[in-house]
Amino acid sequence: AGERIQQALALQPKNAALHRSWGRYLVVRKEPKKAEEAFHKAIQLAPKDSSALVDLGNVYLGGLKRPDQAAKTFSSAVKLDPNNANAHFGLGASYAVLKKTTEAFSELETVVRLTPNNLAAYMAMGNLYQEQKDYDKARLAYDAALKIEPRFADAAMAKGDLLALQGRFGEAKQSY
């Protein structure tokens, strides 16, 4: 795949989508620094496209472990496209890492408003509520995910762990 993307880039060096593809390829290859460069090039070529900003934010949050920079990048993506659920999710995840829980919840609630069946958003909210020791709201978030997808193992396990933490072992076993 990398060779093909490089061939395409040689033919169309000003194609922002190809630079994004190269960046994504580099992410998979666990080369975040090079991926960052590719996404910057894509942003330079298509400054009004929020998707390259989301990709860059994900690199900052994951591979490069720079949550402050990730939050700024996701915020720029949200400003460009206020209805981009992925940008809001990334911003919420960045805020969660930065321990800005109020802001994180606000962003994740926006994700749920924009994409009501977003399992990752419910899981992230449940995990944040659990960190805050608001176990009732955590359970409700996990239940919301399970209502959408009853066989969603991550939500069933998280709910089981939460119930076990509360000493509700029978219910935990049922969730597991």
Side-chain angles (χ1 to χ4, degrees):
E3 288 179 34
R4 297 283 188 206
I5 297 169
Q6 284 298 297
Q7 290 170 351
L9 277 169
L11 295 171
Q12 297 181 30
K14 294 188 178 190
N15 184 317
L18 287 174
H19 285 280
R20 280 188 56 228
S21 293
W22 180 241
R24 288 178 171 184
Y25 171 79
L26 292 167
V27 166
V28 171
R29 304 254 323 160
K30 298 192 183 332
E31 298 183 49
K33 201 70 184 134
K34 290 181 181 178
E36 176 188 20
E37 294 170 16
F39 294 136
H40 275 294
K41 184 67 175 176
I43 293 163
Q44 177 188 354
L45 292 169
K48 295 190 187 275
D49 182 4
S50 65
S51 54
L53 285 165
V54 171
D55 288 334
L56 180 59
N58 286 326
V59 167
Y60 285 142
L61 188 60
L64 295 176
K65 309 290 185 216
R66 293 173 14 202
D68 282 327
Q69 192 66 36
K72 290 176 188 169
T73 304
F74 286 123
S75 183
S76 294
V78 166
K79 286 177 187 161
L80 275 177
D81 184 2
N83 293 319
N84 185 327
N86 292 325
H88 285 285
F89 185 86
L91 187 53
S94 298
Y95 285 148
V97 171
L98 294 168
K99 304 296 184 199
K100 297 181 176 183
T101 53
T102 302
E103 294 89 340
F105 280 122
S106 177
E107 291 302 323
L108 293 170
E109 288 166 0
T110 299
V111 174
V112 169
R113 183 178 49 77
L114 293 170
T115 55
N117 292 335
N118 191 313
L119 298 173
Y122 287 111
M123 286 297 297
M125 288 191 336
N127 294 340
L128 271 176
Y129 281 126
Q130 188 167 340
E131 284 178 24
Q132 299 294 306
K133 299 192 182 337
D134 192 338
Y135 300 135
D136 291 336
K137 286 184 181 177
R139 188 176 37 77
L140 289 173
Y142 298 140
D143 282 341
L146 288 165
K147 183 176 180 184
I148 295 164
E149 179 50 63
R151 302 177 100 182
F152 185 35
D154 289 347
M157 292 296 293
K159 180 180 175 183
D161 291 346
L162 175 68
L163 292 165
L165 180 70
Q166 294 176 294
R168 297 162 64 179
F169 300 111
E171 293 172 84
K173 183 178 176 183
Q174 185 177 8
S175 188
Y176 291 139

Coordinates of all heavy atoms in Angstrom, one line a residue, residues 20 24 39 43 49-61 70 73-74 76-78 81 84-90:
R20 N -3.1 12.7 3.2 CA -3.8 12.1 4.3 C -3.7 10.6 4.3 O -3.5 10.0 5.4 CB -5.3 12.5 4.3 CG -5.6 13.9 4.8 CD -7.1 14.2 5.0 NE -7.7 13.2 5.8 CZ -8.9 12.6 5.5 NH1 -9.5 12.8 4.4 NH2 -9.4 11.7 6.3
R24 N -2.1 8.3 7.2 CA -2.7 7.2 7.8 C -1.9 5.9 7.7 O -1.9 5.1 8.6 CB -4.1 7.0 7.2 CG -5.1 8.1 7.6 CD -6.4 7.9 7.0 NE -7.4 8.9 7.6 CZ -8.6 8.9 7.3 NH1 -9.2 8.0 6.5 NH2 -9.4 9.8 7.9
F39 N 0.2 14.9 7.6 CA -1.1 15.6 7.8 C -0.9 17.1 7.7 O -1.8 17.8 7.3 CB -1.6 15.2 9.2 CG -2.0 13.7 9.2 CD1 -1.7 12.9 10.3 CD2 -2.8 13.1 8.2 CE1 -2.1 11.6 10.4 CE2 -3.1 11.8 8.2 CZ -2.8 11.0 9.3
I43 N -3.1 19.5 5.4 CA -3.8 20.8 5.9 C -3.3 22.0 5.1 O -4.2 22.8 4.8 CB -3.5 20.9 7.4 CG1 -4.1 19.8 8.2 CG2 -3.9 22.3 7.9 CD1 -3.6 19.6 9.6
D49 N -10.5 21.7 5.1 CA -10.9 20.3 5.3 C -10.6 19.9 6.7 O -9.4 19.7 7.1 CB -10.2 19.4 4.3 CG -10.6 17.9 4.4 OD1 -11.5 17.6 5.2 OD2 -10.0 17.1 3.6
S50 N -11.6 19.7 7.5 CA -11.4 19.3 8.9 C -10.9 17.9 9.1 O -10.3 17.6 10.2 CB -12.7 19.5 9.7 OG -13.7 18.6 9.2
S51 N -11.0 17.1 8.1 CA -10.6 15.7 8.4 C -9.1 15.5 8.6 O -8.7 14.6 9.4 CB -11.1 14.8 7.2 OG -10.6 15.3 6.0
A52 N -8.3 16.3 7.9 CA -6.8 16.1 8.2 C -6.5 16.7 9.6 O -5.6 16.1 10.2 CB -6.1 16.9 7.1
L53 N -7.2 17.6 10.0 CA -7.0 18.1 11.4 C -7.4 17.0 12.4 O -6.7 16.8 13.4 CB -7.8 19.4 11.7 CG -7.3 20.7 11.0 CD1 -8.4 21.8 11.1 CD2 -6.0 21.1 11.8
V54 N -8.5 16.3 12.1 CA -8.8 15.2 13.0 C -7.8 14.1 13.0 O -7.4 13.6 14.1 CB -10.2 14.6 12.6 CG1 -10.5 13.3 13.4 CG2 -11.3 15.6 12.9
D55 N -7.3 13.8 11.9 CA -6.2 12.8 11.8 C -5.0 13.3 12.6 O -4.3 12.5 13.3 CB -5.8 12.5 10.3 CG -6.8 11.7 9.6 OD1 -7.6 11.0 10.2 OD2 -6.9 11.9 8.3
L56 N -4.6 14.5 12.4 CA -3.4 15.1 13.1 C -3.7 15.1 14.6 O -2.8 14.7 15.4 CB -3.2 16.5 12.6 CG -2.0 17.2 13.2 CD1 -0.7 16.5 13.0 CD2 -1.9 18.7 12.7
G57 N -4.9 15.5 15.0 CA -5.2 15.4 16.4 C -5.1 14.0 17.0 O -4.6 13.9 18.1
N58 N -5.5 13.0 16.3 CA -5.4 11.7 16.7 C -3.9 11.3 16.9 O -3.5 10.5 17.8 CB -6.1 10.7 15.8 CG -7.6 10.8 15.9 OD1 -8.1 11.0 17.0 ND2 -8.3 10.6 14.8
V59 N -3.0 11.8 16.0 CA -1.6 11.5 16.1 C -1.0 12.2 17.4 O -0.3 11.6 18.1 CB -0.8 11.9 14.9 CG1 0.7 12.0 15.1 CG2 -1.1 11.0 13.7
Y60 N -1.5 13.4 17.6 CA -1.0 14.1 18.8 C -1.5 13.4 20.1 O -0.7 13.3 21.0 CB -1.5 15.6 18.8 CG -0.7 16.5 17.9 CD1 -1.4 17.5 17.2 CD2 0.6 16.4 17.7 CE1 -0.8 18.3 16.3 CE2 1.3 17.2 16.8 CZ 0.6 18.2 16.1 OH 1.2 19.1 15.3
L61 N -2.7 12.9 20.1 CA -3.3 12.3 21.3 C -2.7 10.9 21.5 O -2.3 10.6 22.6 CB -4.8 12.2 21.2 CG -5.5 11.8 22.4 CD1 -5.3 12.7 23.6 CD2 -7.0 11.7 22.1
A70 N -3.2 18.2 20.9 CA -4.3 17.5 20.3 C -5.6 18.3 20.5 O -6.4 18.5 19.6 CB -4.5 16.1 21.0
T73 N -5.7 21.2 18.1 CA -6.0 20.7 16.8 C -7.4 20.3 16.6 O -8.1 20.7 15.6 CB -5.0 19.5 16.4 OG1 -3.7 20.0 16.7 CG2 -5.1 19.1 15.0
F74 N -8.0 19.5 17.5 CA -9.4 19.1 17.4 C -10.3 20.3 17.5 O -11.3 20.4 16.8 CB -9.7 18.1 18.5 CG -9.2 16.7 18.3 CD1 -8.4 16.1 19.3 CD2 -9.5 16.0 17.2 CE1 -7.9 14.9 19.1 CE2 -9.0 14.7 17.0 CZ -8.2 14.1 17.9
S76 N -9.6 23.3 16.4 CA -9.6 23.9 15.1 C -10.5 23.2 14.1 O -11.2 23.8 13.3 CB -8.2 23.9 14.5 OG -7.3 24.8 15.3
A77 N -10.5 21.9 14.2 CA -11.4 21.1 13.4 C -12.9 21.3 13.7 O -13.7 21.5 12.8 CB -11.1 19.6 13.5
V78 N -13.2 21.5 15.0 CA -14.6 21.8 15.4 C -15.0 23.2 14.8 O -16.1 23.3 14.4 CB -14.7 21.7 16.9 CG1 -16.0 22.3 17.4 CG2 -14.7 20.3 17.4
D81 N -15.7 22.7 11.2 CA -16.9 21.9 10.9 C -17.6 21.5 12.3 O -17.2 20.5 12.8 CB -16.5 20.6 10.2 CG -17.7 19.7 9.8 OD1 -18.9 20.1 10.1 OD2 -17.5 18.7 9.2
N84 N -18.8 17.9 12.9 CA -17.9 16.8 12.8 C -17.8 16.0 14.1 O -17.1 16.5 15.0 CB -16.6 17.3 12.3 CG -15.6 16.1 12.0 OD1 -15.6 15.1 12.6 ND2 -14.7 16.4 11.0
A85 N -18.5 14.9 14.2 CA -18.6 14.2 15.4 C -17.2 13.6 15.8 O -16.9 13.6 17.0 CB -19.6 13.0 15.3
N86 N -16.4 13.3 14.8 CA -15.0 12.8 15.1 C -14.2 13.9 15.8 O -13.4 13.6 16.7 CB -14.4 12.2 13.9 CG -15.0 11.0 13.4 OD1 -15.5 10.2 14.2 ND2 -15.1 10.8 12.1
A87 N -14.3 15.1 15.3 CA -13.6 16.2 15.9 C -14.0 16.4 17.4 O -13.2 16.6 18.2 CB -13.8 17.5 15.1
H88 N -15.3 16.4 17.6 CA -15.8 16.5 19.0 C -15.4 15.4 19.9 O -15.0 15.6 21.0 CB -17.3 16.6 19.0 CG -17.9 18.0 18.5 ND1 -17.8 19.1 19.3 CD2 -18.4 18.3 17.3 CE1 -18.3 20.1 18.6 NE2 -18.7 19.7 17.4
F89 N -15.4 14.2 19.3 CA -14.9 13.0 20.1 C -13.4 13.2 20.5 O -13.1 13.0 21.6 CB -15.1 11.7 19.3 CG -14.8 10.5 20.2 CD1 -15.7 10.0 21.0 CD2 -13.5 10.0 20.1 CE1 -15.4 8.9 21.8 CE2 -13.2 8.9 20.9 CZ -14.1 8.3 21.8
G90 N -12.6 13.5 19.5 CA -11.2 13.7 19.8 C -11.0 14.8 20.8 O -10.1 14.7 21.7

